[in-house]
Amino acid sequence: MNSSRLDGIDAGRGLAALSVFVYHFGAGAALVRATGWRGFQYLSWPGANLAVPVFFVISGFCIHYGALARRPAPFEARRFYAHRFFRIYPPWFVAIAVSIIALLANGETPDTRQIVTHLTLTNGFFNDYRLNFALWSVSVEAFLYLLYPLWLAVRQRHGLWRA
């Protein structure tokens, strides 16, 4: 095991992502239709109700664990934001482009506001999920990344319980 990674955390994140995929893909409903056994409908439950919060918790843990692992080097907000941007934004941009192409191929035209709120990761602030509803969690996570350096500064100055 690589000392900078925790295999159990990676496995949990992978299971959460797989569960969300199963939910969005509709595997449970498809199996119910194919077999007639209603028990398959429960395959979607974890992806619809648990996986995203679990993924947020795991991501928060990983961000903080990474910041603590760099000690005694001081936390640099600029470096943190640059790393987050280059890790999230390129695949986000591709997802937005694919979503726009899919809408256009379906005869729908996204409006400028949809495109702007998604490209700026502010769709969560404007409750604008029409371009691709499945991408809502990324804008929420990006907002939490904006808050993290502030939280860390409060924690370092006043302690964990006050933070």
Side-chain angles (χ1 to χ4, degrees):
M1 178 173 92
N2 183 339
S3 63
S4 67
R5 300 194 64 87
L6 300 173
D7 292 338
I9 294 296
D10 287 340
R13 199 167 15 186
L15 286 172
L18 179 62
S19 184
V20 169
F21 173 79
V22 166
Y23 166 69
H24 284 295
F25 186 68
L31 287 170
V32 168
R33 284 191 304 274
T35 66
W37 186 57
R38 299 195 53 77
F40 282 123
Q41 69 188 354
Y42 297 108
L43 284 175
S44 297
W45 188 84
N49 298 291
L50 295 175
V52 172
V54 165
F55 199 84
F56 280 155
V57 168
I58 290 172
S59 292
F61 171 82
C62 289
I63 294 299
H64 192 57
Y65 181 77
L68 294 178
R70 284 191 287 278
R71 284 187 170 187
F75 178 81
E76 298 175 22
R78 182 179 298 152
R79 183 175 176 205
F80 172 80
Y81 288 134
H83 179 74
R84 292 287 98 201
F85 178 85
F86 288 110
R87 184 174 176 120
I88 292 171
Y89 202 79
W92 173 258
F93 182 79
V94 170
I96 297 305
V98 168
S99 298
I100 291 170
I101 291 167
L103 285 173
L104 292 171
N106 199 35
E108 300 175 43
T109 305
D111 62 45
T112 303
R113 181 174 184 254
Q114 286 175 299
I115 295 170
V116 170
T117 61
H118 280 76
L119 287 176
T120 58
L121 286 159
T122 58
N123 54 316
F125 293 104
F126 297 104
N127 198 27
D128 185 6
Y129 305 116
R130 298 167 295 151
L131 188 63
N132 185 333
F133 182 79
L135 298 178
W136 71 270
S137 64
V138 179
S139 64
V140 172
E141 194 164 343
F143 175 70
L144 295 174
Y145 291 149
L146 289 175
L147 293 178
Y148 177 73
L150 174 64
W151 179 87
L152 184 60
V154 170
R155 180 185 187 266
Q156 289 173 335
R157 176 169 258 190
H158 300 288
L160 180 61
W161 292 110
R162 288 189 179 159

